[in-house]
Amino acid sequence: ISNIPQNYKKPKIVASTDGVGTKIEIANKLKKFDTIGEDLVAMCVNDILVQGAKPIIFLDYISIDKINLFKLKKIIKGIQKGCKISGCSLVGGETAEMPGTYSRNKFDIAGFSLGIVESKKLFKKDNIKEKDIIMAIPSNGIHSNGYSMIRNIINKNKINISRNNFLKKELLKPTKIYVKEILKLLDKDLIHGCAHITGGGLPGNLVRIIPQNLCANIYLDKIKIKPIFKWIKSKGVSDFEMLKTFNCGVGFCLIVKKKNISKIKKFFDKKFKPYEIGFISKSSKRIKLINRMQW
């Protein structure tokens, strides 16, 4: 492993494990397997970032009914790409052929990542202060949550996704890996806290990092909603379920000092430029949702 930093005085190890859920069923349906490996890496390394840690190694586990080299090569190619983007070393993995457990063509994937952080730089809740600003970093799309609901919508409406160019493009967009940008911000001490927006949505993930007696006030009408979420909403999903299940266009959140906003924006490409969606105030509520989503 060549990327383990040598200059840590009191290093802490941070680990994360995750999968990509039923997004694999969409990959199976479209016979497209080159992006879900990237999703797998993203789901693990983005979680490591919220502790202030740098991801350094990754391992994968693939279980399948019967070895299919075409499928496996595509998945592993995606994993390799995700590791390259995140600066991780792919140090190993396991492939299990399990015909008694998985039906024909079915499979699952899981990942494990390990990161490192200097003890004094490990994020603590008390880093977050009153009047801090909440910034949203755009997602690349659905990422890897909510696919059971999406598949239910597709089945209920008898949609052939193979013939729907919009869905074919959107449903397998890989989860954005935020490592490169966030590590630069960590190096400059520009973040007080951050959250990876996965299952549970914006309120469910942000609440985890808010200290007692402080509140994250989120202006829902400031969220830049992507077209795919407007499509899901149009199929009769409530605002509550949309916020609880999907990222709705926000893949990652930062909590920062107001004076650092312009500096922070410079580290991001135009497509993923962070923007303000709220602020921290004194309150026992922890999360307060203001206004309505602008669908």
Side-chain angles (χ1 to χ4, degrees), residues 170-186:
E170 289 292 332
L171 294 182
L172 287 180
K173 273 187 178 177
T175 305
K176 162 69 176 166
I177 293 172
Y178 297 97
V179 173
K180 183 181 172 184
E181 299 93 335
I182 300 301
L183 287 182
K184 287 178 181 176
L185 298 180
L186 292 172

Side-chain angles (χ1 to χ4, degrees), residues 191-234:
I191 310 175
H192 284 174
C194 54
H196 181 203
I197 310 305
T198 55
L202 191 57
N205 287 281
L206 205 48
V207 73
R208 297 177 183 179
I209 63 169
I210 305 300
Q212 295 286 343
N213 302 316
L214 288 182
C215 174
N217 300 268
I218 304 166
Y219 291 102
L220 296 179
D221 57 337
K222 288 190 176 183
I223 293 173
K224 297 175 182 178
I225 304 167
K226 292 186 173 293
I228 185 60
F229 298 111
K230 294 183 180 183
W231 179 86
I232 297 167
K233 170 67 178 169
S234 75

Side-chain angles (χ1 to χ4, degrees), residues 31-269:
K31 294 181 172 57
K32 188 176 187 299
F33 307 100
D34 58 341
T35 58
I36 54 170
E38 198 174 330
D39 282 302
L40 186 65
V41 177
M43 294 301 286
C44 294
V45 297
N46 286 344
D47 277 353
I48 280 175
L49 287 176
V50 302
Q51 298 292 324
K54 170 186 168 61
I56 52 174
I57 68 168
F58 187 84
L59 297 98
D60 65 81
Y61 174 79
I62 303 170
S63 49
I64 194 166
D65 69 314
K66 187 178 180 180
I67 296 295
N68 178 322
L69 287 179
F70 169 80
K71 191 180 286 189
L72 289 177
K73 283 179 180 178
K74 291 288 186 182
I75 294 169
I76 293 167
K77 186 179 178 182
I79 292 170
Q80 289 172 331
K81 184 178 178 182
C83 287
K84 186 176 180 181
I85 294 168
S86 60
C88 262
S89 293
L90 179 58
V91 296
E94 167 72 6
T95 301
E97 196 172 39
M98 301 167 65
T101 303
Y102 293 94
S103 56
R104 191 168 179 265
N105 291 326
K106 297 294 184 180
F107 70 100
D108 199 7
I109 56 176
F112 171 84
S113 187
L114 185 144
I116 190 167
V117 60
E118 187 67 71
S119 248
K120 65 179 182 181
K121 290 200 170 186
L122 189 70
F123 277 139
K124 299 178 181 67
K125 284 188 178 182
D126 58 13
N127 290 355
I128 295 168
K129 307 295 182 187
E130 184 185 7
K131 296 183 181 179
D132 277 354
I133 299 297
I134 303 166
M135 299 188 78
I137 309 176
S139 65
N140 195 35
I142 303 165
H143 286 183
S144 299
N145 295 98
Y147 277 85
S148 293
M149 185 182 290
I150 290 167
R151 287 170 55 244
N152 184 51
I153 289 169
I154 289 166
N155 293 335
K156 192 176 176 181
N157 292 276
K158 297 178 180 176
I159 298 166
N160 185 341
I161 58 173
S162 300
R163 294 182 180 178
N164 187 311
N165 288 334
F166 171 69
L167 292 181
K168 196 157 62 170
K169 180 184 175 185
E170 289 292 332
L171 294 182
L172 287 180
K173 273 187 178 177
T175 305
K176 162 69 176 166
I177 293 172
Y178 297 97
V179 173
K180 183 181 172 184
E181 299 93 335
I182 300 301
L183 287 182
K184 287 178 181 176
L185 298 180
L186 292 172
D187 188 53
K188 303 284 186 184
D189 291 320
L190 292 172
I191 310 175
H192 284 174
C194 54
H196 181 203
I197 310 305
T198 55
L202 191 57
N205 287 281
L206 205 48
V207 73
R208 297 177 183 179
I209 63 169
I210 305 300
Q212 295 286 343
N213 302 316
L214 288 182
C215 174
N217 300 268
I218 304 166
Y219 291 102
L220 296 179
D221 57 337
K222 288 190 176 183
I223 293 173
K224 297 175 182 178
I225 304 167
K226 292 186 173 293
I228 185 60
F229 298 111
K230 294 183 180 183
W231 179 86
I232 297 167
K233 170 67 178 169
S234 75
K235 301 303 175 186
V237 183
S238 69
D239 281 21
F240 174 79
E241 282 297 332
M242 288 299 298
L243 268 174
K244 177 185 165 188
T245 307
F246 300 101
N247 68 62
C248 292
V250 180
F252 210 85
C253 270
L254 306 175
I255 298 182
V256 305
K257 281 185 179 178
K258 191 173 183 67
K259 69 175 186 178
N260 289 331
I261 289 173
S262 58
K263 286 182 193 173
I264 287 165
K265 288 183 177 182
K266 290 176 184 176
F267 289 94
F268 292 83
D269 294 336

